[in-house]
Amino acid sequence: MEWELSPMHLLRLRRHTQDDDTLSPFLQLDTFKMAVHTPVPVPASDGGLDSAELAAELGMEHQAVVGAVKSLQALGEVIEAELRSTKRWELTVEGEEIAREGSHEARVFRSIPPEGLAQSELMRLPSGKVGFSKAMSNKWIRVDKSAADGPRVFRVVDSMEDEVQRRLQLVRGGQAEKLGEKERSELRKRKLLAEVTLKTYWVSKGSAFSTSISKQETELSPEMISSGSWRDRPFKPYNFLAHGVLPDSGHLHPLLKVRSQFRQIFLEMGFTEMPTDNFIESSFWNFDALFQPQQHPARDQHDTFFLRDPAEALQLPMDYVQRVKRTHSQGGYGSQGYKYNWKLDEARKNLLRTHTTSASARALYRLAQKKPFTPVKYFSIDRVFRNETLDATHLAEFHQIEGVVADHGLTLGHLMGVLREFFTKLGITQLRFKPAYNPYTEPSMEVFSYHQGLKKWVEVGNSGVFRPEMLLPMGLPENVSVIAWGLSLERPTMIKYGINNIRELVGHKVNLQMVYDSPLCRLDAEPRPPPTQEAA
Ligand code: FB9
């Protein structure tokens, strides 16, 4: 559809673009086709013009002008467009209404007849409440509390000036600067006025300014090359800064992002990762090797997932098993043991490991076979399975993080020291240790940290010194002691990502968008605020 410029506008445009045809490129853009029936603004001294003024002049949405500026910018150096932000005063919706209908207090004043009006009635008026108190403070009206049928409101003055309406109309007329700071802030306090920041473009001629916009080629086609037509065709300049389309790539699950940070911390502390690639474990390595008695409650169906097939572990190092059997049933190494009839069948039962401490037992046993003893620092981060009551923070499986240090003469003090170093790298500095109990460590401690965000002490792990009844049957030297600690991967990840229900982090209910959008959260940085609805 070709558009017609009325002679008058052609003239004005010609006149304006005569000596400075800043506008002509605009005029060729569709966005303007329908709008060129209103006068266009005069380009400023530096030949530029403000996109907001242009929109106001053309009576069109500023956004449309911005759209035109952007498409002209995309054409290269046709125009310069410098983004500016100007603050200006705008009436709020209520401000607009008062500018039209008058202030609440003025309306109240006008609604009071000479014989006065029952206050109860006046309060029922739409502007009653707000208007009454304002009119009172303006000493326009008074209340006769002793009136016969209840408080009655009367005018005090014959007429009043609705300053509020006048000032709002001034602003509406673009003369906000006529108001004093005090008047403006009073209107802002009454939420009738708001200061808005308007992002506008200062548009001026570009180095490739021309009134005829020739479509720039964006592709160099084989025909152009074979015909040589590329020589006289304008090509759109390459924008090497343009963001490429993000390749649809895989995303690491937040748990794996945090796992890699824990790995980093352990490696920095000189720890070596233990192999944990076996979810299925024998009761022997998961419990017996850890001196956990066969009648211990954790060893029954309620806490542990036992396997029907393969039900039994066939390969067990029998010489070591004998020593474990004796330690459990009769004791030894200075321990009285548990004095019960230890059964090999019980130890052979296969299960889903309930902790990665089973992997620590295997690693320490392998270490004990290597003579002479060399101190080691081991860690593991992998899945463990517990038949527990499910709740918002517990699933039947989680990732256990475990650290183990074996050396001569290690004490509880060493354990506290390495825990402080470890948690400090997690950004957790305030630690408290609480005596605890584990079948395989004595002494044992639960570790607590004060959490700024949650304003409370949070249990951040468990720890202890492995019992000699566990280490000596393995063949480790007398004076070697082993300190160890454990925590989960899920808890720190939930806290870091502000997730309250573990089902939002793990499992079929996880919203994959959360995985895509979850940035790398530095463990030692302030936790992220929880995702707000719209963000979810
Ligand atoms: O992870 C846990 N809490 C935690 C850890 C870090 C954290 O970081 C925040 C960013 C700041 C926040 C919280 N816990 C251990 C404590 C509790 O959550 C606890 O209720 C749940 N525990 C799990 C077991 O639940 C039955 C977390 C899991 C756990 C507990 C103990 C061990 C490992 C994991 C262990 C051990 C151990 C002890 C001695 C020797 C070797 C291993």
Side-chain angles (χ1 to χ4, degrees):
M1 187 288 288
E2 252 331 288
W3 49 273
E4 260 323 295
L5 257 187
S6 63
M8 198 286 294
H9 286 114
L10 254 180
L11 169 62
R12 295 189 67 169
L13 281 167
R14 289 261 157 285
R15 181 160 54 69
H16 279 310
T17 49
Q18 213 56 299
D19 49 1
D20 175 331
D21 44 20
T22 304
L23 283 170
S24 56
F26 274 111
L27 304 179
Q28 294 172 33
L29 289 168
D30 307 359
T31 42
F32 273 73
K33 290 210 173 127
M34 67 299 183
V36 177
H37 292 299
T38 53
V40 291
V42 179
S45 56
D46 69 350
L49 57 83
D50 177 80
S51 55
E53 280 161 26
L54 176 63
E57 285 299 335
L58 297 175
M60 54 193 287
E61 281 307 306
H62 181 233
Q63 230 18 57
V65 174
V66 169
V69 168
K70 289 224 165 91
S71 33
L72 277 172
Q73 279 180 308
L75 294 171
E77 309 307 316
V78 175
I79 61 165
E80 292 294 327
E82 178 210 331
L83 187 60
R84 291 183 175 179
S85 65
T86 49
K87 287 197 174 312
R88 67 179 192 181
W89 293 98
E90 256 182 24
L91 302 190
T92 60
V93 177
E94 188 188 0
E96 285 287 352
E97 195 244 346
I98 287 182
R100 266 196 323 281
E101 318 294 335
S103 65
H104 300 301
E105 54 271 34
R107 288 182 236 179
V108 161
F109 180 83
R110 288 197 208 99
S111 63
I112 300 171
E115 68 281 5
L117 183 64
Q119 180 169 4
S120 54
E121 198 181 326
L122 185 147
M123 286 306 193
R124 276 197 295 281
L125 294 175
S127 301
K129 282 202 184 41
V130 182
F132 175 76
S133 57
K134 273 290 169 195
M136 284 295 284
S137 59
N138 294 353
K139 303 204 176 353
W140 293 349
I141 61 175
R142 65 180 175 80
V143 181
D144 171 2
K145 289 204 183 338
S146 61
D149 48 8
R152 200 165 182 78
V153 183
F154 295 89
R155 291 185 180 189
V156 172
V157 293
D158 301 339
S159 68
M160 51 74 200
E161 267 309 302
D162 188 349
E163 268 305 303
V164 172
Q165 181 185 33
R166 187 184 65 73
R167 290 172 188 155
L168 291 172
Q169 287 169 344
L170 264 182
V171 174
R172 190 178 56 186
Q175 299 165 329
E177 67 290 345
K178 287 238 175 54
L179 295 187
E181 176 43 38
K182 197 169 105 16
E183 288 150 345
R184 262 206 306 270
S185 66
E186 197 204 290
L187 291 172
R188 189 219 308 248
K189 263 204 291 307
R190 289 183 65 173
K191 297 201 175 6
L192 304 178
L193 198 55
E195 187 175 37
V196 293
T197 307
L198 184 67
K199 295 226 175 306
T200 65
Y201 280 94
W202 183 254
V203 184
S204 54
K205 274 192 288 185
S207 58
F209 177 82
S210 80
T211 52
S212 62
I213 299 182
S214 50
K215 193 137 186 34
Q216 294 177 313
E217 301 299 340
T218 53
E219 296 301 321
L220 177 60
S221 64
E223 300 69 53
M224 288 177 183
I225 295 172
S226 53
S227 66
S229 66
W230 62 271
R231 292 182 199 294
D232 49 24
R233 308 274 278 278
F235 275 84
K236 185 170 168 25
Y238 270 99
N239 171 2
F240 295 104
L241 303 171
H243 288 302
V245 178
L246 271 184
D248 210 1
S249 65
H251 291 260
L252 268 186
H253 184 286
L255 269 179
L256 299 183
K257 287 175 181 161
V258 175
R259 180 178 71 176
S260 59
Q261 291 183 57
F262 273 105
R263 275 216 172 100
Q264 189 51 36
I265 288 171
F266 276 114
L267 296 172
E268 279 166 15
M269 293 172 70
F271 282 66
T272 313
E273 184 156 17
M274 289 180 265
T276 54
D277 52 351
N278 64 311
F279 291 171
I280 295 170
E281 183 58 282
S282 62
S283 293
F284 178 77
W285 286 111
N286 197 79
F287 292 124
D288 298 281
L290 301 175
F291 195 56
Q292 190 152 350
Q294 293 188 336
Q295 67 282 20
H296 187 285
R299 294 184 68 158
D300 65 21
Q301 303 283 351
H302 307 315
D303 279 352
T304 299
F305 298 108
F306 287 92
L307 266 68
R308 183 172 317 112
D309 175 27
E312 291 205 332
L314 308 173
Q315 294 302 330
L316 290 175
M318 292 321 292
D319 59 340
Y320 169 43
V321 170
Q322 289 317 313
R323 292 195 296 275
V324 168
K325 169 186 177 77
R326 195 176 55 256
T327 311
H328 279 242
S329 50
Q330 299 139 27
Y333 315 102
S335 167
Q336 64 177 4
Y338 294 117
K339 303 270 181 284
Y340 71 93
N341 171 19
W342 186 89
K343 297 188 189 60
L344 180 56
D345 298 354
E346 184 61 34
R348 283 192 187 289
K349 284 183 179 167
N350 276 331
L351 45 79
L352 292 181
R353 63 173 175 221
T354 62
H355 48 200
T356 55
T357 318
S358 51
S360 306
R362 285 171 175 276
L364 291 168
Y365 176 72
R366 277 193 302 276
L367 175 70
Q369 310 322 303
K370 285 193 235 124
K371 306 291 181 202
F373 166 81
T374 50
V376 293
K377 296 193 275 190
Y378 292 152
F379 80 93
S380 64
I381 306 176
D382 211 329
R383 282 172 194 255
V384 298
F385 309 85
R386 296 189 182 181
N387 184 359
E388 276 176 340
T389 45
L390 309 185
D391 62 21
T393 58
H394 284 86
L395 286 173
E397 61 183 80
F398 68 91
H399 290 77
Q400 175 167 346
I401 300 170
E402 178 144 322
V404 175
V405 182
D407 200 346
H408 299 290
L410 291 178
T411 66
L412 198 63
H414 289 100
L415 178 55
M416 291 177 169
V418 76
L419 284 169
R420 282 196 192 293
E421 189 187 350
F422 175 77
F423 280 104
T424 302
K425 287 180 177 286
L426 273 180
I428 298 174
T429 49
Q430 272 186 290
L431 286 185
R432 278 201 310 192
F433 302 112
K434 177 176 169 236
Y437 171 79
N438 298 309
Y440 37 86
T441 51
E442 187 54 43
S444 309
M445 305 187 295
E446 277 169 356
V447 185
F448 286 78
S449 94
Y450 186 76
H451 206 286
Q452 301 305 345
L454 306 169
K455 291 271 171 287
K456 64 178 180 163
W457 285 89
V458 174
E459 183 194 348
V460 290
N462 191 309
S463 66
V465 181
F466 281 135
R467 298 181 72 105
E469 293 93 332
M470 168 184 168
L471 303 178
L472 299 175
M474 291 174 173
L476 284 168
E478 285 276 334
N479 59 2
V480 165
S481 51
V482 181
I483 56 178
W485 72 96
L487 62 157
S488 77
L489 180 62
E490 282 72 6
R491 294 296 298 130
T493 306
M494 289 171 71
I495 290 177
K496 278 297 160 199
Y497 285 87
I499 296 171
N500 305 324
N501 185 318
I502 194 156
R503 284 162 189 69
E504 288 161 37
L505 180 67
V506 180
H508 64 286
K509 289 214 187 93
V510 168
N511 144 4
L512 287 182
Q513 198 55 41
M514 176 276 284
V515 175
Y516 296 159
D517 311 348
S518 62
L520 188 63
C521 251
R522 289 191 48 67
L523 275 174
D524 55 359
E526 275 313 304
R528 262 173 66 74
T532 52
Q533 211 37 45
E534 69 283 344

